[in-house]
């Protein structure tokens, strides 16, 4: 997969192609529907599949204090798009030079890709202040002679799937519904850091990931059933997000994961924690014995849940 990171580089991929356009800030089921439709059209026409999106949230340009937490890392985005069969990813920063383009100017710049078809969601906007809409895009398609495919928004039951809805579900701890909307397990990756090793003393050693510098959405505090990706292996586990209220010595939330059937030193290694289901909220225990008893119950509940996946 070729990756283009600036508008001025679009001419480097001037071959007949179909372009999926969108913010794609979560690559949820609605986003994937647009990209798969573009892939099907590319296969029909013998063209290549391109995805045009932004490497940052548009709010970063105008309202940096309101940029929502991310649902996906740049590396995850590239891996998922590669798996979807994308030939070229146009992943440019949304800055003032992009924000100030008139709708017609945006399409003119996009023509450097040599596209024959554009695929968008029905709520797609483009150009300065979002003045370009599906209606203006249809008019341009008729005028310029390209094919336009507009996909209806995808729903999960009565709720339209959106990145905003998924962020809310994650913040509420409803990981099951968030995963259903995403079409995959929500995950957080990071480098395993040293903790206070209290879990080891309790009989449940944990791999710790710091969250304070993480721009990803953080699930509601509590205990979760998880799958853990370490190297090329996948393990079951249970994870806690929070400040360890029983001990009261943690200032910022952290992600602590106990990996089932695993022993070894993984400090400094990359770890990915996939969230499956929330088991319970954070609790302040009156004694270590009560905490250990609860951890045993948590592990049993997590193991039972993992058997159904």
């Amino acid at each position: 997969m070729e990756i283009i990171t600036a508008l001025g580089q679009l001419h480097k991929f001037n071959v007949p192609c179909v372009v999926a356009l969108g913010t794609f800030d979560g690559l949820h089921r609605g986003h994937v529907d647009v990209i798969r439709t573009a892939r099907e059209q590319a296969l029909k026409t013998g063209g290549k599949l391109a995805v045009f999106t932004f490497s940052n949230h548009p709010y970063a340009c105008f309202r940096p204090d309101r940029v929502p937490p991310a649902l996906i890392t740049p590396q995850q985005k590239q891996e998922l798009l590669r798996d979807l069969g994308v030939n070229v990813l146009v992943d440019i920063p949304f800055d003032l030079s992009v924000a100030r383009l008139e709708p017609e100017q945006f399409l003119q710049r996009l023509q450097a890709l040599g596209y024959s078809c554009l695929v968008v969601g029905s709520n797609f906007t483009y150009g300065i202040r979002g003045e370009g809409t599906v209606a203006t895009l249809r008019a341009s398609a008729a005028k310029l002679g390209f094919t336009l495919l507009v996909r209806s928004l995808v729903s999960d039951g009565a709720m339209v799937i959106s990145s905003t809805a998924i962020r809310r579900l994650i913040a509420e701890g409803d990981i099951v519904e968030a995963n259903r909307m995403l079409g995959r397990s929500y995950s957080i990756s990071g480098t395993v850091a040293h903790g206070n090793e209290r879990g080891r003393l309790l009989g449940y050693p944990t791999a710790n990931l710091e969250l304070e510098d993480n721009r990803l959405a953080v699930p509601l505090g509590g205990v979760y059933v998880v799958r853990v990706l370490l190297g090329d292996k996948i393990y079951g586990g249970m994870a806690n997000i929070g400040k360890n209220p029983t001990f009261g010595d943690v200032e910022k939330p952290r992600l602590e994961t106990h990996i089932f059937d695993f022993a070894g030193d993984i400090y400094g290694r990359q770890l990915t924690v996939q969230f499956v289901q929330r088991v319970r909220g954070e609790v302040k225990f009156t004694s270590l014995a009560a905490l250990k008893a609860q951890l045993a119950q948590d592990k049993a509940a997590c193991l039972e849940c993992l058997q159904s996946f």
Side-chain angles (χ1 to χ4, degrees), residues 240-250 280-285:
N240 181 78
I241 292 179
K243 299 182 180 180
N244 290 331
T246 300
F247 301 95
D249 57 356
V250 177
R280 63 172 175 84
E282 279 196 287
V283 178
K284 183 176 182 178
F285 295 94

Side-chain angles (χ1 to χ4, degrees), residues 8-262:
Q9 298 174 354
L10 295 185
H11 66 280
K12 294 182 179 180
F13 189 81
N14 192 311
V15 297
C17 63
V18 176
V19 184
L21 289 170
T23 304
F24 302 140
D25 56 343
L27 278 182
H28 53 61
R29 285 166 49 199
H31 295 154
V32 171
D33 174 75
V34 171
I35 295 168
R36 284 179 174 162
T37 299
R39 183 180 64 188
E40 292 172 2
Q41 182 70 10
L43 290 173
K44 288 179 182 178
T45 59
K48 300 294 185 179
L49 171 59
V51 166
F52 185 104
T53 187
F54 300 112
S55 58
N56 60 337
H57 194 281
Y59 274 4
C61 185
F62 300 108
R63 299 177 178 178
D65 59 320
R66 295 188 60 185
V67 174
L71 296 174
I72 193 171
T73 66
Q75 181 180 354
Q76 287 174 326
K77 178 165 69 174
Q78 291 180 17
E79 291 174 352
L80 288 169
L81 290 175
R82 187 176 289 109
D83 290 343
L84 286 169
V86 175
N87 300 115
V88 61
L89 167 61
V90 182
D91 196 28
I92 65 171
F94 188 92
D95 55 22
L96 287 177
S97 66
V98 174
R100 290 170 176 167
L101 289 174
E102 298 288 341
E104 296 81 4
Q105 292 176 316
F106 175 80
L107 289 180
Q108 288 172 1
R109 300 296 293 272
L110 197 63
Q111 285 177 340
L113 281 175
Y115 64 86
S116 60
C117 174
L118 298 181
V119 184
V120 300
S122 60
N123 62 347
F124 178 73
T125 62
Y126 61 104
I128 186 168
R129 293 183 295 275
E131 291 177 356
T133 64
V134 166
T136 61
L137 204 52
R138 289 190 192 281
S140 294
K143 178 181 178 181
L144 300 176
F146 63 84
T147 301
L148 174 65
L149 301 179
V150 180
R151 300 296 295 171
S152 299
L153 301 183
V154 177
S155 297
D156 184 73
M159 184 180 300
V160 172
I161 294 175
S162 69
S163 296
T164 298
I166 294 170
R167 290 188 188 97
R168 177 181 56 77
L169 290 166
I170 291 172
E172 294 173 351
D174 192 349
I175 290 297
V176 173
E177 183 60 27
N179 289 348
R180 186 156 43 238
M181 287 194 175
L182 280 169
R184 64 180 187 279
S185 295
Y186 182 68
S187 65
I188 292 179
S189 301
T191 302
V192 179
H194 285 277
N196 51 30
E197 299 190 356
R198 189 176 291 122
R200 188 180 305 277
L201 296 175
L202 292 169
Y204 298 89
T206 60
N208 304 317
L209 301 182
E210 298 294 341
L211 298 173
E212 69 263 25
D213 296 325
N214 198 313
R215 297 182 180 180
L216 289 174
V218 177
L220 180 67
V223 175
Y224 289 83
V225 184
V226 299
R227 285 186 294 260
V228 182
L229 279 61
L230 181 61
D232 58 355
K233 294 186 177 181
I234 301 176
Y235 300 88
M238 64 179 182
N240 181 78
I241 292 179
K243 299 182 180 180
N244 290 331
T246 300
F247 301 95
D249 57 356
V250 177
E251 294 183 1
K252 297 180 179 179
R254 62 174 55 163
L255 173 57
E256 300 173 311
T257 305
H258 174 64
I259 308 172
F260 298 152
D261 301 319
F262 176 84

